[in-house]
Amino acid sequence: MSLALKEPMKPTLLVSFLLHFLVLLSHATTDHDADSGSSGTSIVFTTLGRLDYAFDIFSLPIQNPPSETRETKITDGQSVNFNGHFPSPSSISLLRNRTLIRTVGGRPDAPPLQLIYVTERDGLSNIYYDEVYSDDLFPQIAGKRSALEVRNRVQIPLLDLKQSEHRASMKDKPSLTGDYLVYVSTHEESGEARTSTAAVYSTELKSGVTRRLTPYGVADYSPSVSPSGDWTAVASYGPKGWQGEVEELSTDIYVFLTRDGTQRVKVVEHGGWPAWGDERTLYFHRRGEDKWWSIYRAILPKTGPISTESVVVERVTPPGLHVFTPATSPGNKKFIAVATRRPTSQFRHIELFDLKTNEFKELTRLVSPKSHHLNPFISPDATRVGYHRCRGQENGRGSSNSKLVLQNLPSPVPEISLFRIDGSFPSFSPAGDRIAYVDFPGVYIIDPDGQNRRQVYEATAFSTSWDPVRKGIIYTSAGPEFATVSTEVDIISIDINDVDQPAVKKLTTNGKNNAFPSASPDGKWIVFRSGRTGYKNLYIMDAENGEKSGLRRLTEGPWSDTMCNWSPDGEWIVFASDRDDPGSGGFELYLIHPNGTGLRKLIQSGSGGRTNHPWFSPDGKSVVFTSDYAAISAEPISNPHHYQPYGEIFTVKLDGSDLRRLTHNSYEDGTPFWVPKRIKAVDVVWPEDKPLCEFEDLHWLNEMPSQLFGAKARFPNMTYQCGVSF
Ligand SMILES: *[C@@H]1O[C@H](CO)[C@@H](O)[C@H](O)[C@H]1NC(C)=O
Ligand SMILES: *[C@@H]1O[C@H](CO)[C@@H](O)[C@H](O)[C@H]1NC(C)=O
Ligand SMILES: *[C@@H]1O[C@H](CO)[C@@H](O)[C@H](O)[C@H]1NC(C)=O
């Protein structure tokens, strides 16, 4: 395929951009199941909510009153499709001339609807270009379809991800304007803790040359290209970097030349998700002092130097509802499209905001009131608004809409196959034939093919591990997660050998937050954390009979040691600790011998950073863990709820060397387990129907600041009208 993500481009690759586009005839098949399954290992981890996402891109006409029959699904119902953008007519013409028409022999006139969007098919994010011929969308062209049409659709992946070595993330909104495809990727490592690798790239359609537009040492998100294509605006960390924010990022808005990233200048302090109204006007969102998310407008000076001083910023949308992720259409000065969260609805909806009358016009609530609709965009002729939402379960069992129990992801490390699992705290039995996991509330087991799912413990529990010697013994912590030292949590063992009545045995008895059990390789001992002294420290107890038959304190101090795992060779225990700065929320990984000697730090994610959930590799030489080491890949408000959107999966060798990032996304990845054998790299579907779309919008958007406080107290001089009562 196509354009490279490497920088700088080699001339030979430029040619391939133009020649290696593909028209997909059907759902792409993957080649990652080619491995034999003989050697290697696997890592299985959890991603909050992700396996519930079945996003497709939909659109509604703007002129007519919104109705169910007028809503058109543009994308194909495969995988997860989101962050759409209607390309500019000149870009379409260029793209078609260089690829479709010349290479594939298509006809010169463009079809009725074109879209670019991010898709996660085959586990990787890529940017696709679709041309859509649809009877219901454009009845006037029914029967006059192109020779290129395949199921009413031409579909082209725009990026060659093999060259990015599976390190790409396209989480942000792409745009195809003028001569350039502009997008964000995270594939260039920063080598610095708590530093985002999100950077904006442009690929020139004529030459196929890809350039990084973001300076090194800086993270850019949410790019928007001006109507002429000349300028790109981004939300950027600038030099100050990520401070650990997970709600609103403290980004500023910068503008630079799309051509090469030069003439970069900060235009707005504090703002995100820019969208150009015209060559001199930017709309963006910001959480104001009154705590409402609102749209603001920045007017750049016509002459003279551009800086935050010369740019005039005005608030556009009133307090009383959260308004964010604005979208514009070139030349249209009448309205913008926005996402809203109103105090009267628990769902995120798309609305238009009239810039003349300052009135909202609701769109999606009138069509599907109980779905979340995200990240709107407007067609160049301002007749349609697009957005993504969950498509739901359409085609029933066995279809691409079936929920996955294991999703295979391309792994950047060839000898490790990588999977997302539909459950938390997964652990495999020593023989690799069973998986235990948590699905709040309760502990479950399944076979690796998704069959024989069964609940083995019905109350709230977290973390699972298996006894390495005694068959069918699972350890877990019974009680609530993230609780204080004195909360009643006890280690239990669950004997699953009696299928009808799993036998539960309580191994700790004091109920002082005893959690994260992990057995020694001989099955004699369990290491766990306990809050019994008022601090969470590590202890070792008898595996079979619990603390009454033997208990030893392993670590001691006024801090939290937690999430411990015993190495397969018995030599080490790895754990997370905040002892560097107790109570700060920062966690580092430490190693200690089971006899209490040899304590040392394994890895830390900068000052105040998080490294959690450590688990040993089967050879005991590496550890897989979750960390905020790579900061955040996209503005969290552009996604559904993730408590820790920075969570990514990493591995590191026991001497602290060879840090590798395994996941690239803007979701919360966590609780990895390192499986001793290589699981065949294919997706596994739940054998029974499970509902999709059961994810939540950002919890912190439920906070609706008091209206009085918001509207009048903080903005006494602000004048605005509002046609909608809040
Ligand atoms: C595409 O090709 C057509 C016909 O060859 C030509 O008229 C048009 O100018 C081309 N468009 C671009 C943007 O190169
Ligand atoms: C503690 O255990 C380590 C690893 O097993 C061993 O090398 C060391 O000699 C032990 N130290 C003591 C004091 O027993
Ligand atoms: C509001 O307007 C008055 C009079 O124009 C001015 O004196 C005052 O400083 C303004 N207050 C704010 C918060 O801008």
Side-chain angles (χ1 to χ4, degrees):
M1 275 170 280
S2 53
L3 64 98
L5 288 158
K6 279 192 174 145
E7 179 72 15
M9 291 281 299
K10 291 193 202 78
T12 50
L13 297 175
L14 311 186
V15 180
S16 72
F17 167 70
L18 300 175
L19 299 180
H20 290 170
F21 280 117
L22 291 178
V23 176
L24 299 187
L25 298 180
S26 63
H27 178 56
T29 51
T30 66
D31 59 3
H32 5 111
D33 52 351
D35 57 83
S36 63
S38 52
S39 65
T41 59
S42 302
I43 288 171
V44 175
F45 65 95
T46 305
T47 305
L48 185 79
R50 169 58 182 77
L51 293 174
D52 285 293
Y53 302 169
F55 291 139
D56 263 311
I57 292 173
F58 292 75
S59 118
L60 275 172
I62 282 168
Q63 279 84 0
N64 305 324
S67 75
E68 219 167 305
T69 53
R70 294 203 170 95
E71 190 188 46
T72 307
K73 189 176 83 174
I74 309 178
T75 45
D76 61 4
Q78 306 288 332
S79 180
V80 175
N81 306 306
F82 58 99
N83 286 1
H85 169 82
F86 291 122
S88 77
S90 61
S91 308
I92 293 166
S93 175
L94 265 174
L95 189 67
R96 299 191 96 249
N97 276 16
R98 304 307 291 239
T99 60
L100 293 176
I101 296 166
R102 199 167 290 178
T103 315
V104 200
R107 63 179 198 186
D109 56 318
L113 192 63
Q114 303 86 9
L115 177 78
I116 64 166
Y117 59 100
V118 179
T119 185
E120 291 191 348
R121 51 201 78 201
D122 306 332
L124 268 176
S125 51
N126 198 344
I127 298 168
Y128 271 35
Y129 170 78
D130 278 20
E131 295 192 337
V132 184
Y133 301 80
S134 157
D135 292 0
D136 56 323
L137 185 58
F138 296 96
Q140 68 275 19
I141 63 109
K144 292 192 230 161
R145 293 175 189 153
S146 155
L148 277 176
E149 169 203 324
V150 178
R151 284 194 200 156
N152 299 346
R153 175 184 308 280
V154 171
Q155 189 172 73
I156 304 171
L158 292 183
L159 298 171
D160 181 356
L161 296 170
K162 291 211 172 70
Q163 299 189 39
S164 79
E165 289 155 6
H166 300 155
R167 289 184 285 122
S169 171
M170 310 289 158
K171 292 306 305 176
D172 247 315
K173 51 174 184 175
S175 75
L176 187 57
T177 305
D179 290 352
Y180 298 96
L181 173 68
V182 173
Y183 52 94
V184 175
S185 177
T186 53
H187 68 281
E188 288 187 274
E189 274 160 33
S190 70
E192 253 183 82
R194 302 192 98 203
T195 302
S196 176
T197 60
V200 174
Y201 296 81
S202 77
T203 296
E204 193 180 7
L205 294 179
K206 283 179 188 146
S207 63
V209 173
T210 296
R211 292 187 183 86
R212 180 180 164 122
L213 303 181
T214 300
Y216 287 92
V218 166
D220 285 343
Y221 307 96
S222 318
S224 170
V225 181
S226 72
S228 69
D230 292 346
W231 297 96
T232 295
V234 295
S236 178
Y237 273 131
K240 67 181 174 293
W242 185 57
Q243 308 293 313
E245 316 93 281
V246 294
E247 298 184 6
E248 187 187 20
L249 304 183
S250 44
T251 51
D252 302 321
I253 294 177
Y254 283 72
V255 167
F256 49 76
L257 278 177
T258 308
R259 193 174 60 228
D260 56 10
T262 59
Q263 298 191 33
R264 184 180 170 102
V265 59
K266 191 204 281 191
V267 296
V268 172
E269 197 97 43
H270 182 193
W273 205 267
W276 295 87
D278 57 39
E279 291 296 302
R280 292 276 140 187
T281 311
L282 277 168
Y283 292 85
F284 62 95
H285 63 208
R286 165 195 283 180
R287 183 154 52 176
E289 278 179 53
D290 61 6
K291 302 292 175 206
W292 291 105
W293 284 81
S294 301
I295 308 302
Y296 292 74
R297 178 168 40 222
I299 299 164
L300 279 46
K302 285 205 172 60
T303 55
I306 297 176
S307 70
T308 49
E309 279 78 44
S310 65
V311 171
V312 177
V313 172
E314 314 163 334
R315 186 172 181 165
V316 173
T317 61
L321 75 171
H322 291 305
V323 190
F324 43 92
T325 56
T328 54
S329 132
N332 163 44
K333 297 199 163 51
K334 292 196 193 111
F335 58 84
I336 55 174
V338 294
T340 65
R341 276 293 304 277
R342 290 176 175 270
T344 49
S345 172
Q346 286 168 32
F347 292 89
R348 186 191 293 212
H349 283 294
I350 306 305
E351 306 190 29
L352 299 181
F353 183 76
D354 191 308
L355 296 167
K356 297 265 152 49
T357 64
N358 290 345
E359 283 176 14
F360 287 96
K361 181 178 164 192
E362 289 191 279
L363 292 177
T364 58
R365 196 185 60 83
L366 309 174
V367 178
S368 17
K370 295 197 169 163
S371 304
H372 297 297
H373 300 72
L374 292 88
N375 303 356
F377 54 102
I378 309 180
S379 61
D381 63 2
T383 61
R384 300 200 145 257
V385 61
Y387 47 85
H388 62 269
R389 71 165 170 84
C390 199
R391 61 181 166 266
Q393 194 102 20
E394 282 178 332
N395 302 328
R397 263 181 80 156
S399 78
S400 59
N401 288 322
S402 293
K403 194 170 181 193
L404 298 180
V405 52
L406 286 173
Q407 181 192 18
N408 177 233
L409 302 174
S411 168
V413 185
E415 58 278 11
I416 300 173
S417 61
L418 191 62
F419 296 86
R420 245 182 210 131
I421 189 167
D422 186 20
S424 298
F425 298 103
S427 65
F428 279 60
S429 64
D433 59 348
R434 291 292 186 83
I435 309 170
Y437 67 95
V438 167
D439 191 358
F440 297 102
V443 177
Y444 292 80
I445 53 167
I446 46 163
D447 298 348
D449 61 2
Q451 302 285 339
N452 299 318
R453 177 177 186 263
R454 139 166 105 90
Q455 192 182 55
V456 294
Y457 185 71
E458 60 182 23
T460 299
F462 58 98
S463 83
T464 68
S465 62
W466 293 70
D467 190 287
V469 178
R470 289 182 299 141
K471 203 162 177 280
I473 305 292
I474 298 167
Y475 301 102
T476 189
S477 351
E481 220 185 341
F482 299 119
T484 60
V485 284
S486 56
T487 306
E488 194 172 331
V489 181
D490 276 304
I491 310 281
I492 58 170
S493 65
I494 306 167
D495 182 343
I496 62 164
N497 291 303
D498 182 340
V499 173
D500 298 323
Q501 194 107 52
V504 171
K505 191 193 240 178
K506 212 165 164 183
L507 300 179
T508 55
T509 49
N510 65 359
K512 299 280 190 196
N513 211 333
N514 305 291
F516 297 104
S518 172
S520 58
D522 60 7
K524 292 202 168 90
W525 304 101
I526 285 175
V527 63
F528 66 104
R529 77 107 200 268
S530 175
R532 58 189 64 209
T533 59
Y535 300 106
K536 292 171 181 168
N537 292 139
L538 302 188
Y539 297 78
I540 291 175
M541 69 175 165
D542 183 275
E544 210 162 337
N545 297 310
E547 63 172 275
K548 67 176 190 288
S549 293
L551 179 74
R552 182 160 58 80
R553 185 173 184 149
L554 184 62
T555 64
E556 182 164 7
W559 51 68
S560 285
D561 300 322
T562 186
M563 297 180 184
C564 36
N565 183 248
W566 209 311
S567 70
D569 60 9
E571 289 289 297
W572 292 104
I573 287 160
V574 64
F575 62 100
S577 177
D578 72 350
R579 56 182 64 203
D580 267 16
D581 189 3
S584 67
F587 277 86
E588 307 87 45
L589 294 190
Y590 282 83
L591 291 163
I592 190 169
H593 287 307
N595 63 14
T597 67
L599 177 78
R600 64 181 164 88
K601 191 188 288 186
L602 173 59
I603 187 163
Q604 175 168 13
S605 175
S607 166
R610 288 165 188 247
T611 49
N612 285 326
H613 309 154
W615 204 286
F616 274 102
S617 63
D619 67 5
K621 290 181 177 150
S622 302
V623 167
V624 64
F625 62 99
T626 309
S627 181
D628 66 358
Y629 193 89
I632 278 184
S633 307
E635 288 190 53
I637 199 160
S638 64
N639 274 321
H641 187 65
H642 292 271
Y643 294 98
Q644 306 185 57
Y646 48 74
E648 302 282 354
I649 307 297
F650 293 81
T651 60
V652 68
K653 293 230 169 85
L654 278 208
D655 62 5
S657 70
D658 202 15
L659 178 69
R660 293 185 186 194
R661 180 177 179 181
L662 298 189
T663 58
H664 282 257
N665 57 62
S666 56
Y667 309 137
E668 175 177 350
D669 300 326
T671 63
F673 178 86
W674 206 320
V675 190
K677 65 176 195 181
R678 187 179 179 89
I679 307 170
K680 197 176 179 212
V682 291
D683 290 344
V684 177
V685 175
W686 281 113
E688 73 272 26
D689 280 342
K690 289 192 119 207
L692 283 167
C693 304
E694 288 191 342
F695 59 87
E696 294 173 320
D697 201 8
L698 295 159
H699 289 185
W700 42 268
L701 275 179
N702 295 334
E703 292 160 25
M704 299 285 168
S706 121
Q707 207 172 313
L708 268 180
F709 172 83
K712 298 286 178 231
R714 290 303 189 95
F715 288 86
N717 291 7
M718 193 177 154
T719 55
Y720 52 85
Q721 299 157 335
C722 191
V724 178
S725 55
F726 299 107

